[in-house]
């Protein structure tokens, strides 16, 4: 039995979010209304066709209700009304159906990104493989300014994140852990050091080409949740040569242009301002330079004082600061 719209939205938080936005636009729009909601009875027929892998039935429904579906406003209903159909097909690897839904070269990339994200959430590799065979570039920078692999390595539903098997599958199919936005130095490795377990980070670095000189890795590692193997991650990054005494985005003109008003410091500055005493001590033991100033001329000690991190201030003022 095909699921209802409510059941579909319960399966996919992304679908729930998108459909709420579609409905809001339909309610708020006036003379430029994007069209009425697709009647539930018609949507049920679409979902039933997808559940049955019946491409002929789907094609007939598309021809009847979305005769000009390659256009932005195809007749009565907007294409976004088909997001539940796309979601169900993507999450269940219904490639025959996806071929019909993504039949035209003019397909909206937003639709594809939505389907890919839903497939990622459901672990549907057949769907992702379909998009790859259709020419999808996983390494392109998406509208949220990160790559698809970075999304896979980002925080999702604790404690099931990230999915090691999926991450390595993506890399084996062409995802680049070092791909970055032209605007800001943020890579998939930036996300890995924030969210992934040390074992996966080691694999990415040692077996799959992850680099430590892109992505501001030490700065990002300091954003790990408390008790989440921070010292171990810092240690493996430093052991592989991650920059220790450089301010964030140093030498990266593109990134600096986007942070002209920010005060950017070294990893020691960040650890000090966050009050992460053990991280501060670890950085000091590895040679962190306390005399380096941030882009606005502040030392790590001054950052700690400004943030009222008394425990770190005591460490940075101590003559034994380098001792663990």
């Amino acid at each position: 039995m095909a699921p209802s719209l409510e059941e579909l939205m319960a399966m996919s938080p992304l679908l729930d979010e998108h459909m709420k936005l579609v409905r809001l636009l339909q309610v708020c729009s006036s003379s430029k209304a994007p069209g009425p909601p697709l009647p539930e009875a018609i949507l049920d027929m679409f979902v039933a066709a997808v559940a049955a892998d019946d491409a002929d039935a789907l094609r007939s429904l598309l021809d009847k209700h979305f005769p000009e579906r390659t256009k932005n406003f195809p007749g009565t209903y907007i294409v976004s009304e088909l997001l539940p159909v796309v979601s169900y097909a993507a999450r269940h690897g219904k490639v025959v159906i996806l071929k019909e839904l993504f039949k035209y070269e003019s397909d909206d990339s937003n639709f594809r990104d939505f389907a890919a994200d839903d497939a990622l959430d459901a672990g549907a590799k057949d769907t992702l493989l379909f998009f790859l065979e259709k020419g999808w570039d996983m390494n392109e920078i998406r509208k949220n300014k990160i790559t698809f692999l970075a999304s896979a390595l980002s925080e999702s539903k604790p404690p099931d994140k990230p999915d090691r098997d999926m991450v390595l599958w993506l890399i084996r199919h062409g995802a680049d852990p070092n791909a970055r936005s032209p605007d800001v130095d943020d890579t998939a490795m930036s996300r890995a050091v924030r969210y992934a377990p040390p074992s996966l980070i080691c694999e990415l670095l040692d077996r799959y080409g992850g680099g430590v000189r892109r992505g501001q890795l030490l700065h990002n590692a300091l954003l790990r949740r408390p008790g989440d193997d921070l010292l171990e991650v810092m240690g493996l990054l430093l052991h592989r040569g991650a920059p220790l005494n450089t301010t964030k985005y140093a030498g990266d003109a593109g990134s600096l242009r986007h942070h002209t008003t920010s005060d950017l410091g070294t990893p020691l500055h960040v650890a000090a301002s966050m009050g992460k005493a053990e991280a501060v001590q670890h950085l000091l033991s590895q040679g962190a330079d306390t005399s380096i100033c941030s882009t606005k001329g502040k030392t790590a000690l001054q950052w700690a004082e400004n943030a009222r991190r008394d425990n770190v201030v005591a460490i940075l003022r101590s003559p034994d600061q380098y001792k663990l």
Side-chain angles (χ1 to χ4, degrees):
M1 182 178 176
S4 66
L5 177 59
E6 289 74 18
E7 290 171 326
L8 288 171
M9 292 172 71
M11 290 181 196
S12 169
L14 188 62
L15 174 61
D16 185 31
E17 175 186 329
H18 277 65
M19 291 309 294
K20 284 178 180 176
L21 179 59
V22 169
R23 297 292 178 258
L24 180 63
L25 289 172
Q26 287 168 323
V27 169
C28 294
S29 299
S30 53
S31 60
K32 295 184 179 181
L38 186 69
E40 193 166 327
I42 297 175
L43 181 61
D44 287 344
M45 288 189 283
F46 271 101
V47 177
V50 175
D53 258 343
D54 191 339
D56 290 335
L58 178 69
R59 192 177 304 110
S60 296
L61 288 167
L62 288 169
D63 290 342
K64 180 176 180 180
H65 299 288
F66 295 86
E68 300 177 284
R69 56 188 178 274
T70 59
K71 296 182 180 179
N72 289 332
F73 296 95
T76 304
Y77 308 114
I78 57 171
V79 176
S80 294
E81 291 289 337
L82 291 178
L83 282 173
V85 181
V86 173
S87 174
Y88 188 78
R91 296 181 72 84
H92 291 82
K94 303 279 187 179
V95 175
V96 171
I97 296 298
L98 291 169
K99 285 180 179 178
E100 190 61 41
L101 290 170
F102 290 88
K103 186 174 182 179
Y104 301 98
E105 291 301 320
S106 59
D107 288 334
D108 190 343
S109 63
N110 290 332
F111 242 43
R112 183 210 59 210
D113 286 349
F114 167 80
D117 285 336
D118 243 16
L120 175 65
D121 182 62
K125 294 172 185 173
D126 286 347
T127 296
L128 299 176
L129 195 58
F130 162 72
F131 287 125
L132 288 170
E133 291 171 349
K134 206 171 185 291
W136 173 44
D137 179 7
M138 275 193 292
N139 295 315
E140 69 180 354
I141 303 301
R142 289 136 59 89
K143 288 187 176 179
N144 55 356
K145 304 294 186 182
I146 61 175
T147 64
F148 192 74
L149 180 60
S151 293
L153 282 159
S154 296
E155 187 169 25
S156 54
K157 296 179 293 187
D160 303 318
K161 49 80 184 172
D163 182 340
R164 173 186 175 277
D165 181 59
M166 177 61 79
V167 166
L168 299 185
W169 185 90
L170 292 172
I171 291 175
R172 292 181 190 119
H173 285 79
D176 180 0
N178 303 310
R180 55 156 285 178
S181 162
D183 298 327
V184 179
D185 186 25
D186 185 11
T187 69
M189 289 304 305
S190 306
R191 304 309 170 100
V193 299
R194 286 179 63 176
Y195 302 118
S199 58
L200 178 54
I201 296 171
C202 285
E203 281 190 272
L204 295 175
L205 293 172
D206 297 339
R207 297 184 59 190
Y208 296 102
V212 296
R213 296 191 172 276
R214 273 191 178 185
Q216 312 298 308
L217 299 194
L218 278 175
H219 290 83
N220 278 287
L222 285 161
L223 301 177
R224 292 177 74 87
R225 290 180 300 181
D228 199 7
D229 304 304
L230 172 57
L231 295 187
E232 183 178 353
V233 172
M234 290 172 59
L236 65 88
L237 292 175
L238 289 166
H239 178 70
R240 289 161 178 80
L244 172 62
N245 285 313
T246 55
T247 56
K248 195 172 187 180
Y249 305 130
D252 187 333
S255 296
L256 290 171
R257 276 197 299 271
H258 284 78
H259 293 85
T260 53
T261 61
S262 302
D263 191 14
L264 305 173
T266 66
L268 182 62
H269 283 81
V270 176
S273 68
M274 295 178 76
K276 297 193 173 186
E278 288 187 338
V280 167
Q281 289 177 315
H282 186 74
L283 290 169
L284 291 170
S285 74
Q286 297 300 307
D289 187 344
T290 59
S291 69
I292 294 175
C293 290
S294 65
T295 53
K296 293 191 181 296
K298 304 292 185 182
T299 63
L301 173 59
Q302 289 173 307
W303 274 34
E305 290 173 335
N306 290 340
R308 297 182 180 178
R309 305 296 189 183
D310 295 340
N311 56 339
V312 174
V313 169
I315 293 170
L316 292 174
R317 285 180 174 172
S318 169
D320 298 322
Q321 61 182 231
Y322 299 100
K323 295 180 181 179
L324 285 174

